[in-house]
Amino acid sequence: MNLTPGDVGRLARVGFGRGARVGVIVALAESSELPGERIKPVEGVRRDLPPLPPDWFRLMEFCASYYQTPLGEAMLSALPAALRRVDPPKARAGRAGKPPAAAVAPELTAEQRRALERIAADGPGFHAYLLHGVTGSGKTEVYLRLLERTLAAGRSALLLVPEINLTPQFEARVAGRFPDAGLVCLHSDLAAPARARHWKAALEGRARIVLGTRLAVFTPMPDLGLIVVDEEHDPSFKQQDGMRYSARDLAVFRARDRDIPVVLGSATPSLESWANAAAEPGRPARYTRLTLEERAVAGARLPAVQRIDTRGEKLQEGLSGALLEAIARRLRRGEQSLVFLNRRGYAPVLSCPACGWVSQCPHCSANRVVHLADRRLRCHHCGAEAPIPRACPTCGNQDIHPFGQGTQRIEARLKALFPAARVLRLDRDAARTRARWEALLATVAAGEADILVGTQIMAKGHDFPKLTLVGVVGADASLHAADFRAPERLFQQLLQVGGRAGRAELPGEVLIQTEYPEHPLYRCLARHDFAAFAAMELDARQAAAFPPFSHQAMLKADAPQLAAAVDFLRQARQLAARHAPPTLRVFDPVPMRLTRLARRERAQLLVEAGQRGLLQDFLTRWLEDVRALRAPRDLRWQVDVDPLEV
Ligand code: ADP
Ligand code: ZN
Ligand code: ZN
């Protein structure tokens, strides 16, 4: 079939092997070096869709080069699955949901007004802002006002959030404010036809607001005038397989490329963004920092944070007397408490005191977790499960014990201690579907639960007016974790989850159980002092030359045998010598911390450079050689640029 220049950017169906594939028309060529018989005709072009805009191609090319991925693969991960199918399913008209009730905007606080004025003064071109606002300071209201301006200027906006499913309130809030903007959502839990339909609405310019998770950063939007990344610190903005992109970083690239503003918002910014918002000697700040220090609702204060020293105390299934007393006080006052423990299940391990057997996963270097609710042992890494044995599988001892605490165990204990209270567990096991999660949130919001036991899924922006106590259990484990980002994550989680307490007229309290009450991380937390924490962490990172003071890439390999994976990386390391400038560090291959995952042994090799450009040049040349290595057929390898876990 004949193509015209107007087809560039369209999807096309082309013969491939014996079948056909969907491709993207990147350019038209007059001639080819290939012999004519090897060139296949284009079988069909999706002229029912507008061509993908040029900036979408620039974004893809950037992804391909920055994340060291073939261009075709990058595009593939950016297109909704339904559009990649050769025979796309017949598009059904979307169910028209009930139109949201229009909501009125509140009067802005002085801080919100100042932030908005600053952004307005900079005009519509590229600027990156870091909106640092304490929990409940009204960051969302700032986004909504920016959306309003953007729409009024005839442009559209892209709003990225970590996990839509966890925050149905957020979607309702945006839809309620802009009932006529054709808001669409894009996230991976959406059924394929709906996702294709929403994507198409964006491409055709009908959807003026796109709200989505990390994959939405690839949405083609012809009139894009603003990008917002809410909770910009959240690790879920980083894709963890295939092309390992950071949607937050791509958002900034895209805004610069389109010459539009981008706003990164958080109560606990990533240290990368925090450093970008600070000037350095000889370099102005890359991002403009805007601060909201007060809660937006009149009279609402930040919670009082106390540390409970648990040294020398005999805890009741991990719960201290002081925390239990505080919960009892809330019960008497008809208020809600949340016990935060970032560990699902009943206990992390089942073990036999007689012979030392533990419930190890047969496929991973991890223990299977005891789930008493459905009487299973379940691996949280590969999902493998089995019934809980009645006796030790090794020695037959019937007296085997669950060790340590998970949310189910805390839940059971609280039910036993407070028989009259309504105890509700909120973790991924309790909230398997979006409907289930929404029902749980509604129960809490209606005041039909007294004590909540929750994991970090409770940390995201929920508003529970009666919740006045957050008890933190088991946080110390993260203080001494091997990952250099562990303290940053812990601080983020605790500050966010603590932010759930006392949002309305009732003052909140956060109690942190710890054996290290004087730890500087907890001290900063007690003062709500993110800036002090960030300064301390950044000093430590600088001393160790960790990001953001260096740039990293990780070559990962996995195979049925560890030796094969390590050997491959060793060969890759030898190849590196050819390309590596002296200032670039190529470390020895090492087994990953969770070495064995789903029956595959995993190893990694870290590369670190002082400058991003240096690293990028090196990776491009080096990986070309690595691709030419002859690897065993059952070995897989990937590269992760700017890895989150090292
Ligand atoms: P954040 O996103 O910073 O955590 P939100 O935008 O969710 O904060 O705002 C927290 C609460 O404050 C919400 O209940 C919101 O409706 C309210 N709020 C925000 N801005 C204002 C304002 N200017 N006046 C009154 N209430 C506000
Ligand atoms: Zn035993
Ligand atoms: Zn496993």
Side-chain angles (χ1 to χ4, degrees):
M1 102 177 260
N2 285 326
L3 299 182
T4 69
D7 287 326
V8 171
R10 287 204 154 96
L11 303 179
R13 179 190 154 112
V14 282
F16 194 89
R18 281 191 203 161
R21 289 277 180 87
V22 167
V24 181
I25 302 172
V26 176
L28 300 183
E30 293 292 324
S31 58
S32 168
E33 291 159 9
L34 285 176
E37 67 274 13
R38 289 197 51 200
I39 298 179
K40 302 224 171 163
V42 170
E43 295 174 0
V45 176
R46 292 283 306 261
R47 292 208 171 106
D48 59 316
L49 289 175
L52 288 154
D55 73 296
W56 189 84
F57 285 92
R58 292 196 298 272
L59 177 64
M60 287 303 127
E61 269 157 27
F62 175 77
C63 282
S65 84
Y66 189 82
Y67 294 110
Q68 306 289 335
T69 307
L71 184 60
E73 208 173 289
M75 290 185 182
L76 204 69
S77 48
L79 289 172
L83 291 167
R84 300 195 305 254
R85 299 233 321 250
V86 174
D87 299 304
K90 272 270 166 291
R92 280 181 296 110
R95 261 181 306 118
K98 66 171 180 317
V104 276
E107 190 88 24
L108 292 173
T109 65
E111 286 185 325
Q112 287 170 328
R113 203 167 337 107
R114 233 174 293 134
L116 285 162
E117 276 165 9
R118 175 65 212 263
I119 297 174
D122 287 335
F126 171 69
H127 283 274
Y129 302 94
L130 180 62
L131 179 62
H132 176 221
V134 300
T135 53
S137 59
K139 294 183 288 297
T140 309
E141 187 58 38
V142 172
Y143 309 150
L144 294 175
R145 298 299 176 105
L146 292 171
L147 290 179
E148 191 180 333
R149 282 184 197 164
T150 306
L151 297 180
R155 314 208 47 187
S156 54
L158 174 61
L159 192 50
L160 299 178
V161 294
E163 283 169 277
I164 290 185
N165 279 353
L166 294 183
T167 49
Q169 295 165 340
F170 192 87
E171 183 185 336
R173 229 167 128 188
V174 182
R177 193 67 73 79
F178 306 103
D180 306 319
L183 169 79
V184 297
C185 288
L186 281 171
H187 52 88
S188 55
D189 287 347
L190 218 51
R195 192 162 146 203
R197 207 166 57 232
H198 293 180
W199 194 84
K200 195 164 162 245
L203 173 62
E204 290 171 349
R206 285 180 287 122
R208 309 305 289 175
I209 303 177
V210 173
L211 170 62
T213 53
R214 62 173 179 261
L215 57 87
V217 76
F218 299 117
T219 318
M221 295 179 71
D223 306 314
L224 187 63
L226 170 74
I227 307 179
V228 172
V229 184
D230 187 32
E231 310 287 3
E232 68 88 31
H233 65 275
D234 198 291
S236 72
F237 284 120
K238 179 92 157 95
Q239 169 76 16
Q240 293 294 5
D241 53 38
M243 180 171 78
R244 294 162 184 251
Y245 62 91
S246 154
R248 185 238 320 184
D249 295 349
L250 289 180
V252 175
F253 167 84
R254 211 173 162 186
R256 182 181 292 116
D257 177 68
R258 296 236 13 180
D259 197 25
I260 58 171
V262 57
V263 178
L264 312 178
S266 176
T268 51
S270 63
L271 293 179
E272 281 81 359
S273 296
W274 190 254
N276 274 328
E280 267 173 34
R283 155 173 98 62
R286 293 192 182 93
Y287 302 169
T288 301
R289 192 161 84 205
L290 307 167
T291 312
L292 307 177
E293 287 180 343
E294 307 276 332
R295 286 194 156 178
V297 174
R301 275 166 293 141
L302 287 172
V305 180
Q306 318 276 358
R307 287 152 281 172
I308 301 175
D309 186 348
T310 54
R311 280 171 300 186
E313 180 177 347
K314 177 115 176 53
L315 301 175
Q316 301 214 32
E317 305 275 34
L319 301 167
S320 65
L323 177 55
L324 292 173
E325 227 164 82
I327 293 173
R329 260 197 311 278
R330 295 316 183 286
L331 287 173
R332 287 196 293 275
R333 297 206 297 247
E335 296 169 11
Q336 291 171 324
S337 311
L338 164 66
V339 177
F340 173 78
L341 167 63
N342 210 2
R343 217 189 279 138
R344 289 186 293 127
Y346 184 81
V349 64
L350 185 67
S351 90
C352 170
C355 75
W357 172 85
V358 291
S359 54
Q360 236 224 304
C361 175
H363 314 309
C364 305
S365 36
N367 291 326
R368 288 203 281 201
V369 174
V370 184
H371 282 257
L372 220 49
D374 52 358
R375 303 207 53 83
R376 313 283 289 175
L377 291 176
R378 189 171 292 132
C379 174
H380 286 187
H381 299 283
C382 74
E385 52 177 57
I388 296 178
R390 287 182 194 287
C392 172
T394 312
C395 75
N397 172 21
Q398 299 206 339
D399 195 23
I400 49 179
H401 301 290
F403 271 89
Q405 278 85 35
T407 45
Q408 292 176 8
R409 191 169 205 167
I410 299 281
E411 176 195 16
R413 188 70 195 163
L414 288 167
K415 278 182 172 159
L417 287 168
F418 302 105
R422 295 160 299 179
V423 181
L424 192 64
R425 177 162 52 84
L426 300 108
D427 57 20
R428 276 185 207 279
D429 297 314
R432 286 211 178 276
T433 63
R434 174 167 176 154
R436 193 69 202 105
W437 177 236
E438 284 185 26
L440 287 172
L441 291 182
T443 307
V444 180
E448 286 160 15
D450 305 306
I451 308 175
L452 319 174
V453 181
T455 56
Q456 49 124 5
I457 66 168
M458 280 301 291
K460 320 253 165 181
H462 312 291
D463 238 334
F464 302 124
K466 294 201 122 184
L467 181 68
T468 60
L469 171 69
V470 173
V472 175
V473 175
D476 283 347
S478 305
L479 285 181
H480 313 291
D483 190 333
F484 73 85
R485 282 193 175 85
E488 179 183 1
R489 292 264 171 279
L490 180 62
F491 192 89
Q492 286 164 351
Q493 273 185 3
L494 296 187
L495 196 124
Q496 299 275 352
V497 77
R500 301 307 119 219
R503 305 263 292 183
E505 61 285 348
L506 300 170
E509 186 180 22
V510 178
L511 299 179
I512 301 174
Q513 291 190 178
T514 174
E515 297 189 355
Y516 305 88
E518 292 311 316
H519 194 287
L521 186 150
Y522 293 136
R523 289 229 293 258
C524 290
L525 198 68
R527 298 198 312 262
H528 302 280
D529 197 344
F530 176 79
F533 170 74
M536 177 179 86
E537 270 306 292
L538 283 170
D539 278 350
R541 298 245 189 125
Q542 187 157 30
F546 283 141
F549 301 96
S550 64
H551 302 277
Q552 298 179 328
M554 191 87 89
L555 187 64
K556 304 181 185 185
D558 61 89
Q561 259 80 44
L562 183 61
V566 172
D567 186 56
F568 175 81
L569 294 178
R570 226 174 252 140
Q571 291 178 51
R573 189 175 189 276
Q574 271 160 16
L575 293 175
R578 254 190 255 168
H579 305 290
T583 51
L584 189 129
R585 286 179 301 278
V586 182
F587 290 84
D588 282 326
V590 288
M592 288 174 66
R593 197 153 13 114
L594 184 71
T595 309
R596 192 167 147 83
L597 175 69
R599 303 183 203 209
R600 297 185 65 87
E601 304 280 344
R602 311 180 311 154
Q604 63 188 25
L605 182 165
L606 179 67
V607 181
E608 210 174 68
Q611 284 111 32
R612 196 182 289 287
L614 201 75
L615 180 64
Q616 284 295 319
D617 288 347
F618 165 75
L619 288 177
T620 308
R621 284 178 288 128
W622 177 48
L623 292 175
E624 206 166 298
D625 284 0
V626 173
R627 277 183 203 106
L629 273 179
R630 205 163 310 156
R633 238 184 327 124
D634 50 11
L635 181 137
R636 289 185 308 222
W637 63 271
Q638 314 93 40
V639 61
D640 188 351
V641 179
D642 304 331
L644 271 192
E645 276 159 48
V646 178

